[in-house]
């Protein structure tokens, strides 16, 4: 047994492949971002080319390593999303988020079950498993798209983030159900209940800590310490990584999604900084993250994450005639199913309009100050705003990704047959591409979307 890993010079072929891989990930993203505002698609395609699906230039060892590094990128993206969340908007839009999330889960599952059962005679269980994978929303893609569009702190962006997080938690639960369907069903109740209980428990414990302890403790520590700026920077770095480590490990070992833990990291730091003196300093955990981590995330970890999605797409096996057209038809249905979530934006908009009461005197005052043309212009602007917000939300929900691929791979081959698997992967792939591209095209057409 070797006592140490041998140090050897890396072969020039490996170095050139790695350099070209990282170079193309970033340059292709920048190029497609400028054209379509959807650089994620380029990163996925580079992953397909360099990974197992096509040329396998990286080999199994590098793909395994990049899978781990890419997941760190996903965690970083979600933490950033939590840090950028407006807590007041988050609280006031809980109902909207829940309705969007539930719609995005139920409709794709029902449509998939009908598509496979009625259209092709497969079992209801196969349709459910396929629908379960296609009911997920790619949390990493959602955060990336909103960040590129600078919409994380808008009402629509906040509702979308919360809905995608709900989809992720439910997707984790559904993955346990699908895995149980393919086995002997042992402890299926606990498999379903554990993620639910763990999620609620983690949120409850965090609420108590933030509400009654965290702010007081941080204020007491900052009042006692007399540190220079350099030492404060080190302290904030230690606090940042300690909180990330604690939340990620707690959520994982408890049995829920570690992405929920990552999101709660950002929410917690934002909450504490808004209510303590630490948020007013030149150096704070959130500023350390923005200055030190985000650049690494943008150019290394996040591109690797989206490339690993490409690693998992079995592109060589998917070009059979029947599989292709079934996949395209299912993709269209899944785009429409997720886009249906956007219907809640105009519904809530019109409900709020009805609640606004303007008395006669105020109305007369407004008419004196504003011309008819200006009133008409304001109405048009407001209408355009919620229409664009609906388009952004609907297309953002379309993108699938990591959880969907996890579910469909857990279901294959024990629960779903090869044909259903390939058709489902087609739909996952096309939706993951269509979503960011569509959002990018809408973003290019307007400014200040979703506000």
């Amino acid at each position: 047994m070797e006592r140490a890993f041998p140090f050897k010079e890396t072969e020039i072929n490996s170095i050139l492949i790695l350099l070209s891989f990282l170079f193309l990930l970033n340059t292709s993203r920048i190029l497609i971002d400028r054209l379509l505002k959807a650089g994620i698609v380029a990163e996925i395609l580079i992953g397909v080319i360099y990974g197992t699906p096509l040329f396998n230039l990286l080999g199994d060892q590098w793909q395994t390593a990049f899978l781990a590094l890419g997941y760190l990128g996903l965690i970083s993206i979600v933490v950033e999303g939590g840090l950028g969340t407006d807590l007041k908007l988050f609280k006031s839009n809980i109902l909207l988020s829940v309705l969007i999330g539930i719609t995005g889960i139920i409709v794709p599952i029902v449509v998939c079950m009908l598509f496979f059962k009625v259209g092709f005679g497969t079992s209801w269980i196969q349709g459910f498993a396929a629908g379960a994978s296609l009911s997920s929303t790619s949390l990493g893609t959602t955060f990336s798209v909103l960040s590129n569009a600078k919409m994380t702190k808008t009402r629509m962006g906040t509702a979308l983030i919360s809905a995608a997080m709900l989809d992720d938690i439910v997707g984790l639960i559904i993955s346990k159900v699908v895995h149980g369907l393919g086995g002997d069903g042992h402890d299926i109740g606990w498999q379903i209940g554990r993620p639910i209980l763990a999620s609620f428990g983690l949120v409850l414990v965090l609420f108590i800590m933030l509400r009654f302890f965290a702010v007081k403790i941080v204020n007491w520590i900052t009042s006692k310490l007399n540190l220079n700026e350099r030492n404060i920077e080190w302290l904030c770095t230690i606090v940042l990584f300690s909180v990330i480590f604690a939340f990620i490990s707690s959520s994982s070992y408890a049995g829920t999604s570690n992405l929920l833990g990552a999101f709660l990291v950002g929410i917690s730091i934002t909450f504490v900084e808004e209510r303590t003196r630490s948020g007013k300093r030149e150096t704070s955990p959130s500023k350390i993250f923005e200055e030190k981590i985000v650049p690494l995330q943008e150019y290394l970890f996040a591109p690797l994450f989206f490339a690993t999605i490409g690693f998992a797409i079995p592109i060589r096996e998917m070009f059979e005639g029947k599989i292709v057209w079934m996949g395209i038809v299912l993709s269209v249905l899944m785009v429409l199913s997720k886009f249906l979530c956007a219907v809640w934006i105009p519904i809530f908009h019109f409900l709020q309009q009805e609640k606004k009461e303007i008395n006669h005197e105020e109305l007369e005052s407004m008419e004196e100050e504003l011309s008819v043309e200006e009133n008409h212009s304001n109405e048009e602007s407001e209408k355009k705003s919620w229409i664009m917000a609906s388009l952004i939300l609907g297309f953002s929900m379309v993108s699938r990704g990591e959880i969907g691929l996890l579910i469909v791979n857990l279901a294959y081959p024990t629960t779903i047959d090869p044909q259903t698997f390939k058709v489902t992967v087609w739909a996952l792939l096309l939706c993951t591409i269509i979503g960011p591209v569509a959002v990018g095209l809408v973003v290019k057409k307007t400014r200040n979307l979703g506000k």
Side-chain angles (χ1 to χ4, degrees):
M1 181 177 178
E2 295 183 356
R3 295 179 180 271
F5 188 81
F7 180 83
K8 298 179 181 179
E9 183 179 0
T10 305
E11 294 181 1
I12 186 62
N13 288 344
S14 298
I15 292 174
L16 293 176
I17 288 172
L18 291 175
L19 283 175
S20 64
F21 176 62
L22 295 174
F23 173 76
L24 288 175
L25 276 179
N26 284 284
T27 53
S28 62
R29 182 191 74 245
I30 293 170
L31 178 62
I32 300 300
D33 254 338
R34 290 188 175 181
L35 295 175
L36 300 173
K37 295 290 183 183
I40 294 167
V41 175
E43 293 165 339
I44 293 173
L45 293 177
I46 294 298
V48 171
I49 294 169
Y50 273 76
T52 303
L54 279 184
F55 301 110
N56 198 23
L57 297 174
L58 295 172
D60 292 343
Q61 289 185 336
W62 277 114
Q63 287 181 76
T64 302
F66 288 151
L67 186 64
L69 290 174
Y71 205 81
L72 287 179
L74 174 59
I75 290 172
S76 177
I77 290 170
V78 177
V79 171
E80 184 186 19
L83 289 171
T85 299
D86 188 310
L87 295 180
K88 291 181 180 178
L89 283 175
F90 181 77
K91 183 178 178 181
S92 63
N93 287 286
I94 287 294
L95 178 59
L96 176 61
S97 302
V98 170
L99 291 172
I100 292 170
I102 291 175
T103 304
I105 293 166
I106 294 176
V107 176
I109 290 178
V110 172
V111 172
C112 258
M113 291 176 71
L114 293 173
F115 176 80
F116 284 106
K117 177 64 177 179
V118 177
F120 303 98
T122 58
S123 66
W124 290 110
I125 291 178
Q126 289 199 58
F128 173 79
S133 65
L134 288 161
S135 70
S136 65
T137 301
S138 176
L139 197 58
T141 304
T142 299
F143 278 123
S144 184
V145 166
L146 289 176
S147 178
N148 289 339
K150 303 187 184 302
M151 297 172 61
T152 53
K153 293 191 176 183
T154 63
R155 183 188 181 194
M156 187 278 300
T158 302
L160 177 57
I161 289 169
S162 306
M165 180 60 66
L166 175 63
D167 281 4
D168 181 69
I169 296 171
V170 175
L172 177 71
I173 297 168
I174 291 176
S175 70
K176 303 292 184 182
V177 176
V178 170
H179 188 63
L181 291 173
D184 57 6
H186 182 64
D187 287 337
I188 186 68
W190 176 238
Q191 291 179 22
I192 298 172
R194 183 182 177 186
I196 300 174
L197 293 174
S199 300
F200 278 108
L202 189 64
V203 172
L204 179 61
V205 170
L206 178 63
F207 173 78
I208 294 172
M209 290 178 61
L210 292 177
R211 181 69 177 81
F212 299 104
F213 301 106
V215 175
K216 294 179 181 178
I217 292 172
V218 171
N219 278 332
W220 182 81
I221 292 175
T222 53
S223 66
K224 295 295 182 181
L225 294 177
N226 186 19
L227 302 175
N228 58 39
E229 193 64 28
R230 181 62 175 170
N231 289 333
I232 290 175
E233 182 177 335
W234 281 107
L235 178 62
C236 289
T237 303
I238 292 171
V239 168
L240 173 64
F241 280 95
S242 298
V243 171
I244 292 174
F245 182 85
F247 277 68
I248 297 298
S249 57
S250 298
S251 58
S252 294
Y253 286 119
T256 186
S257 171
N258 49 27
L259 299 183
L260 174 62
F263 183 67
L264 294 178
V265 168
I267 291 288
S268 302
I269 292 175
T270 300
F271 180 89
V272 172
E273 288 186 356
E274 287 181 354
R275 289 160 178 80
T276 62
R277 290 185 291 273
S278 62
K280 299 178 177 65
R281 295 178 182 271
E282 292 183 4
T283 304
S284 65
S286 63
K287 290 171 184 172
I288 290 292
F289 186 90
E290 182 181 352
E291 294 173 2
K292 309 294 184 183
I293 306 300
V294 169
L296 281 174
Q297 170 192 308
E298 182 178 357
Y299 293 103
L300 181 62
F301 292 123
L304 287 177
F305 164 66
F306 292 112
T308 58
I309 294 178
F311 294 166
I313 298 170
I315 199 76
R316 291 178 183 270
E317 302 174 4
M318 293 170 60
F319 284 95
E320 302 172 16
K322 185 179 180 181
I323 298 297
V324 172
W325 74 257
M326 285 177 66
I328 292 173
V329 172
L330 183 60
S331 299
V332 173
L333 293 174
M334 289 300 99
V335 168
L336 296 175
S337 298
K338 278 290 190 178
F339 192 82
L340 192 62
C341 297
V343 73
W344 292 109
I345 294 291
I347 289 175
F348 269 69
H349 173 77
F350 289 124
L351 287 175
Q352 287 183 341
Q353 289 297 104
E354 289 181 1
K355 290 181 180 179
K356 291 181 180 178
E357 297 180 359
I358 303 176
N359 60 41
H360 185 67
E361 292 180 359
E362 290 175 331
L363 187 58
E364 286 182 345
S365 175
M366 289 169 62
E367 288 176 347
E368 290 175 1
E369 295 175 4
L370 298 173
S371 65
V372 176
E373 290 79 7
E374 287 174 327
N375 280 324
H376 179 72
S377 176
N378 289 336
E379 290 176 2
E380 288 295 319
S381 177
E382 187 176 356
K383 182 180 179 181
K384 182 179 179 181
S385 178
W386 67 256
I387 289 175
M388 291 301 172
S390 301
L391 290 173
I392 291 289
L393 186 140
F395 285 125
S396 295
M397 291 292 290
V398 165
S399 184
R400 274 63 165 190
E402 60 282 353
I403 298 298
L405 289 169
L406 170 66
I407 295 172
V408 76
N409 278 282
L410 283 174
Y412 178 74
T414 55
T415 306
I416 61 176
D417 58 32
Q419 175 179 279
T420 305
F421 173 76
K422 294 172 187 176
V423 172
T424 304
V425 171
W426 256 116
L428 284 168
L429 172 60
L430 292 179
C431 287
T432 301
I433 293 173
I434 290 169
V437 171
V439 172
L441 292 174
V442 176
V443 169
K444 287 183 69 174
K445 296 293 183 180
T446 187
R447 294 179 180 179
N448 301 320
L449 299 179
K451 292 185 179 179

